[in-house]
Amino acid sequence: MLDVALLVTVTGAVNLVTGASAALAACFAAANLVQAGVFAWLFGRWLPQLWGGGGTEPISRLPHLWRLLSIAAISTVTGALIGPTAVWLVTGDYSVPATAVWLTRNTASMLLIGAAGLRIGYLLHRFWTGNPGRRRDAVREAWNGTTGLRRAEYVAVLAVSTAAYVVAFGINHGLPLAFPLLVVTVWAALRLHTSFVILHDLVFGSLAVVFTLAGDGPFAMIGSHTTRALVVQLFVGVVAVVGLAVALGRDERARLMDDLHSAKQEAADQAEVLRTVVDSMAEGLIVLDADGRFLLRNPAARDLLGVTSGSDQVEDSAYYGLYRADGVLVPDGEHPFQRALATGEPHGMDVVVRNPAVPQGRTLAVRATPLPTRINGIRYAVSVFSDVTAERRQRDELAAFAGVVAHDLNNPLTTVEGWSEELADVPGAVSGIARIRRAAARMRNLINDLLNYTTARDGRLELTDVDLAAVVADIAAARLDQAETTGAPPPRIVLGSLPLVRADVGLMRQLLENVIGNAVKYTAPGVTPQVMVYATAGRDDDVQICVADNGIGIPAGQHEAVFENFHRAHRTSDYAGTGLGLAICRRIVQRHGGTITAIDNPDRPGTIIAFTVPLASQPVRAFTPV
């Protein structure tokens, strides 16, 4: 409101002093007030990031200048709708030249004085809102940051500008020297600080107006006062636009160059970090295209392969001594990077390297993944491989050990079971023999579970497309046959819509056999087991398989523990088990990259076991998620 009062007072007083009537002075004050209001409203919406519009930035870009010029022009038009119209209503004469002078004068003035006010206001705001000690440091840094030569250039620009404007406007020589003065403006705009350029344009533009109003300079020779005012205001506007455009364009170019330099430096730093990381990896890393041309390879790749290609292209398998696990050289087209680029999917395999540099042989786990984007129009795959010789040897030794242990334990166990059958009819020994047979059965189950756990943990995965519906149907048929043989209630197994999955068919059967077997086994006496197997949508390329039952459920707080080794949720009940079943299930799921959980069945008493597995790479049958 103080701004409004001051603007109305100053406008009215100036117009009254210069001979306008009270009515016209009031109209001119209203015109200026509307003009200023429109300017402030547009400025807050078009340049909200600038100081004065609600932001914190200075006017520093060419788009700021063009928006400021547009705001000045639009707000001037609104003022012109009131000012010249009021003159016409009072005098009965509408002057087009006077309206043109109004538009030119106010647009140029609002642009130049507005830019100066915004720039100076920003600098003062930043200066006075800082720490006093920091303010002194900022002034000192600004002064010390300006070289002696640049200070001399500031003085030279002021001296040359003063002399040029005095010669052009202060002497009535009749020569058209006004617009050549733009050379001085361009000099300042190209070399000196933008705030100085704005003040330079403001001061010397005002000097041109003063000389012209005093009857001096090239524009004073124009006979019409209105035309003279129009021309000098156009001159001031041109000087302001040229100076600001050149200075802001220079600042923006300098800022873009700084950003480019920073981006290049950051990219160089990131490249150096990436190179250091890649070179320090213990795993071999190679990036290559379908033709085997290298884009990147690290030192570990050369060390693990034992030999390196002298060219920029991968050699054949015989050159490196690359063999499959069956001892056959890896054929061309079956290398993981070739399979990955051909299918668009990651591909992995074990490769045995045997060459003069690695005569004893080395097993490498190789996994290639196609890059998601092309590089210079070429598709590449990144191949990562690591030495798993010790791990594979340990796995094979463990498997062999498990086989020996199973054989050595099964032989005496078979003997015990055979003799217990022979002694079953001995009078007085029936009860004891029955206990021996039950203990032998538990021992055999434990041995089988240990073997299954070893296989689930360390066995080789043979991934293929598995028809889960067929697997579950076969398991259901086996359970019905078992129930008929033992006289137990036949379970009701409902099969939902199931998809094809990418998995090891043997492990997937073992997983479903364990889960469905638990669902049938852990059912209350006298209750017919009811099991439903269905699929729900998973994340990304996974599907979630659910097995819901109506059993006795899992005690509270043990839904995670049931997947631990040798954990039995119903240890004190009459349900036999070794506590390894669900541990085997978890290991199988983890080896397929999935997760497994157990929750209470929300629809009825019982449990839902849910696990995720990858969908088949080439699905041939859709499924309906539940």
Side-chain angles (χ1 to χ4, degrees):
M1 295 309 297
L2 180 61
D3 291 335
V4 171
L6 289 174
L7 181 60
V8 170
T9 301
V10 171
T11 304
V14 169
N15 281 280
L16 288 174
V17 170
T18 54
S21 64
L24 283 179
C27 291
F28 291 150
N32 279 358
L33 187 60
V34 170
Q35 184 174 262
V38 172
F39 183 96
W41 184 77
L42 289 176
F43 189 85
R45 280 153 183 78
W46 288 7
L47 293 170
Q49 72 274 25
L50 297 190
W51 179 89
T56 57
E57 299 179 17
I59 178 171
S60 57
R61 302 174 185 270
L62 280 174
H64 296 166
L65 172 63
W66 305 134
R67 291 193 179 189
L68 183 63
L69 180 60
S70 301
I71 293 170
I74 293 173
S75 57
T76 298
V77 169
T78 60
L81 294 175
I82 300 174
T85 303
V87 174
W88 172 56
L89 292 175
V90 173
T91 64
D93 181 28
Y94 188 86
S95 174
V96 174
T99 303
V101 171
W102 178 292
L103 293 172
T104 306
R105 179 190 65 232
N106 286 16
T107 300
S109 300
M110 294 175 72
L111 173 64
L112 191 52
I113 298 174
L118 290 170
R119 189 81 181 193
I120 295 172
Y122 164 78
L123 294 175
L124 291 176
H125 171 76
R126 191 177 67 171
F127 181 79
W128 288 110
T129 55
N131 182 277
R134 180 58 187 156
R135 290 200 293 264
R136 290 190 295 271
D137 293 340
V139 173
R140 190 179 302 109
E141 289 174 4
W143 175 257
N144 294 334
T146 306
T147 64
L149 186 61
R150 184 53 55 87
R151 296 171 194 165
E153 190 171 8
Y154 275 104
V155 175
V157 167
L158 288 175
V160 171
S161 298
T162 302
Y165 272 83
V166 169
V167 171
F169 285 94
I171 302 174
N172 290 320
H173 41 62
L175 298 177
L177 299 179
F179 284 95
L181 295 175
L182 287 172
V183 174
V184 182
T185 301
V186 173
W187 176 17
L190 287 174
R191 300 282 299 167
L192 305 180
H193 198 277
T194 302
S195 299
F196 175 85
V197 174
I198 295 174
L199 293 176
H200 177 276
D201 292 348
L202 178 61
V203 171
F204 287 98
S206 301
L207 187 63
V209 173
V210 170
F211 274 120
T212 302
L213 292 178
D216 297 322
F219 302 142
M221 295 183 296
I222 301 175
S224 170
H225 293 289
T226 303
T227 305
R228 185 190 309 167
L230 176 62
V231 172
V232 73
Q233 295 294 344
L234 281 174
F235 172 77
V236 173
V238 170
V239 168
V241 171
V242 170
L244 284 170
V246 174
L248 295 178
R250 178 209 60 197
D251 290 348
E252 195 159 12
R253 178 182 177 276
R255 184 168 49 252
L256 290 175
M257 293 300 295
D258 290 341
D259 292 344
L260 178 61
H261 177 74
S262 299
K264 289 176 63 177
Q265 186 61 45
E266 183 178 356
D269 293 342
Q270 290 180 348
E272 180 63 21
V273 170
L274 179 61
R275 186 190 66 80
T276 303
V277 170
V278 170
D279 288 351
S280 62
M281 289 174 58
E283 296 81 6
L285 185 145
I286 298 177
V287 180
L288 64 176
D289 63 11
D291 295 328
R293 287 188 294 268
F294 295 117
L295 179 67
L296 174 69
R297 49 182 166 172
N298 68 348
R302 295 188 288 269
D303 296 340
L304 290 173
L305 291 175
V307 294
T308 181
S309 171
S311 66
D312 62 348
Q313 190 162 352
V314 68
E315 305 291 347
D316 58 16
S317 296
Y319 179 85
Y320 299 102
L322 303 180
Y323 297 88
R324 296 188 311 200
D326 57 7
V328 178
L329 283 171
V330 178
D332 184 43
E334 289 192 14
H335 291 281
F337 78 92
Q338 294 172 327
R339 296 285 301 276
L341 289 174
T343 63
E345 298 290 334
H347 183 73
M349 66 181 296
D350 281 359
V351 175
V352 178
V353 179
R354 187 176 291 107
N355 54 52
V358 194
Q360 75 280 8
R362 176 182 292 147
T363 303
L364 301 180
V366 185
R367 183 170 181 82
T369 304
L371 295 181
T373 57
R374 295 175 181 265
I375 300 176
N376 296 326
I378 302 175
R379 295 179 64 242
Y380 286 92
V382 56
S383 183
V384 180
F385 46 94
S386 57
D387 187 352
V388 294
T389 306
E391 297 174 15
R392 296 297 184 263
R393 184 181 297 116
Q394 180 185 17
R395 183 190 66 186
D396 295 341
E397 291 175 353
L398 184 60
F401 174 75
V404 171
V405 170
H407 180 269
D408 290 348
L409 289 177
N410 274 318
N411 281 341
L413 190 60
T414 301
T415 303
V416 170
E417 290 176 335
W419 281 106
S420 63
E421 289 180 4
E422 291 293 330
L423 298 174
D425 296 331
V426 175
V430 174
S431 176
I433 295 301
R435 287 196 293 271
I436 293 175
R437 297 180 67 178
R438 287 196 297 270
R442 288 197 298 271
M443 186 64 180
R444 186 174 296 280
N445 289 335
L446 179 58
I447 293 172
N448 291 335
D449 281 349
L450 286 172
L451 286 173
N452 290 335
Y453 183 77
T454 302
T455 303
R457 187 185 67 178
D458 301 308
R460 180 187 296 274
L461 283 180
E462 298 292 344
L463 297 181
T464 184
D465 290 349
V466 180
D467 187 349
L468 289 183
V471 174
V472 174
D474 190 46
I475 293 173
R479 288 290 167 180
L480 290 174
D481 292 342
Q482 183 181 12
E484 183 177 351
T485 302
T486 60
R492 182 172 180 268
I493 301 177
V494 180
L495 180 61
S497 177
L498 297 176
L500 296 179
V501 298
R502 189 71 176 173
D504 183 294
V505 62
L507 292 180
M508 199 53 50
R509 180 182 183 87
Q510 184 179 0
L511 167 63
L512 289 167
E513 180 76 50
N514 281 354
V515 175
I516 295 175
N518 281 352
V520 173
K521 179 171 67 173
Y522 291 101
T523 305
V527 176
T528 300
Q530 296 185 15
V531 183
M532 183 174 183
V533 185
Y534 57 92
T536 63
R539 293 183 301 179
D540 300 329
D541 296 329
D542 290 347
V543 63
Q544 180 171 263
I545 307 300
C546 299
V547 179
D549 61 47
N550 65 334
I552 59 176
I554 298 174
Q558 298 190 43
H559 291 78
E560 291 289 337
V562 292
F563 296 103
E564 299 295 334
N565 296 335
F566 301 107
H567 180 87
R568 295 187 60 199
H570 303 283
R571 189 175 299 274
T572 60
S573 63
D574 295 330
Y575 299 95
T578 62
L580 280 174
L582 288 179
I584 294 172
C585 294
R586 182 175 66 172
R587 186 55 185 157
I588 293 174
V589 172
Q590 287 177 342
R591 294 198 65 195
H592 286 82
T595 59
I596 186 169
T597 58
I599 61 173
D600 293 331
N601 195 331
D603 300 325
R604 59 185 178 182
T607 304
I608 297 178
I609 301 293
F611 58 90
T612 58
V613 287
L615 283 167
S617 56
Q618 298 293 333
V620 296
R621 183 182 70 242
F623 76 101
T624 303
V626 176

